[in-house]
Amino acid sequence: MSLNAVIFDLDGVICSTDRFHFLAWKELAGQLGLPFSEALNDRLRGVGRAESLELILAGCSRSFTPAQKAAMCEQKNLRYRQLLCQMSPADLSGEARGALLALRRGGLLLAVGSSSRNAPFILERIGLGGFFQVVADGSQIARSKPDPEVFLLAAKRLGQAPQRCLVVEDAAAGIQAAKAGGFWAAGLGAAASCPGVDFPLRSLAQLPALCAANR
């Protein structure tokens, strides 16, 4: 395998902002008179903002202009960022911190590959600003997961071929993106049983040993 780098999805892998996404989308959906559930929120994991809005509007009989949709996305993001201000280094688990430090001590290159444009802000809030060699996020790509663009960008900026990188994901869209880009894929949570996963993980604590065995 000759692994040189690990590329992490952010939300649901390094930390969790699901509760903030849920509250912000639910507030917007309520203003539109649309239902919003935990199940629908789960479908939005790993999916870009504009694509998420389309999924929410799928059951709506009204039509909206591109400008109106852009305004909705901006409204959701402003509310989401307000909620993110509640985050602190306490939102980074000891398990995640320990795994990241062990990987860095092991000489691996580390990157974040996230569809979220808020990834740098979140990393700063949880005390990981400047920790990763590369942060590729939604502001730098044209296509969200399951397109592999964000992972390919991260690998390129690390100077590594996809086959030398392990992607760590918790969402089906992210696993699909990793495999479409030619990466090795490790799945956490529900993603551990996704088709194409090379390494199902129970926790991030397993990562250092896994990577050391595949250097």
Side-chain angles (χ1 to χ4, degrees), residues 6 14 24 35 53 67 88 95 107 130 132-133 153-154 173 179 184 210 215:
V6 183
I14 294 173
L53 178 64
S88 73
E95 177 185 282
F132 296 91
Q133 280 99 342
L153 175 61
K179 300 313 295 181
W184 297 95
L210 167 65
R215 291 300 305 272

Side-chain angles (χ1 to χ4, degrees), residues 94-203:
E95 177 185 282
R97 184 184 302 277
L100 290 170
L101 290 173
L103 291 170
R104 188 159 71 176
R105 286 194 300 269
L108 286 153
L109 299 171
L110 303 179
V112 166
S114 171
S115 295
S116 172
R117 298 184 182 190
N118 293 299
F121 180 68
I122 294 169
L123 290 170
E124 289 288 345
R125 295 299 306 174
I126 63 174
L128 289 178
F131 180 87
F132 296 91
Q133 280 99 342
V134 167
V135 176
D137 65 30
S139 68
Q140 303 162 29
I141 58 173
R143 299 174 299 279
S144 296
K145 303 168 190 175
D147 191 281
E149 184 181 6
V150 74
F151 294 141
L152 291 170
L153 175 61
K156 180 180 179 180
R157 290 174 58 192
L158 287 172
Q160 299 296 317
Q163 61 267 29
R164 296 294 182 89
C165 303
L166 174 67
V167 166
V168 185
E169 265 284 354
D170 75 318
I175 296 296
Q176 293 168 23
K179 300 313 295 181
F183 296 86
W184 297 95
L188 273 173
S193 58
C194 284
V197 165
D198 300 294
F199 303 102
L201 299 176
R202 295 185 303 277
S203 73

Side-chain angles (χ1 to χ4, degrees), residues 62-82:
R62 297 163 58 191
S63 60
F64 299 94
T65 66
Q68 287 174 318
K69 291 179 180 179
M72 290 178 202
C73 285
E74 182 60 20
Q75 176 185 332
K76 183 268 176 182
N77 189 52
L78 287 173
R79 180 59 178 144
Y80 175 59
R81 284 181 67 91
Q82 289 175 346

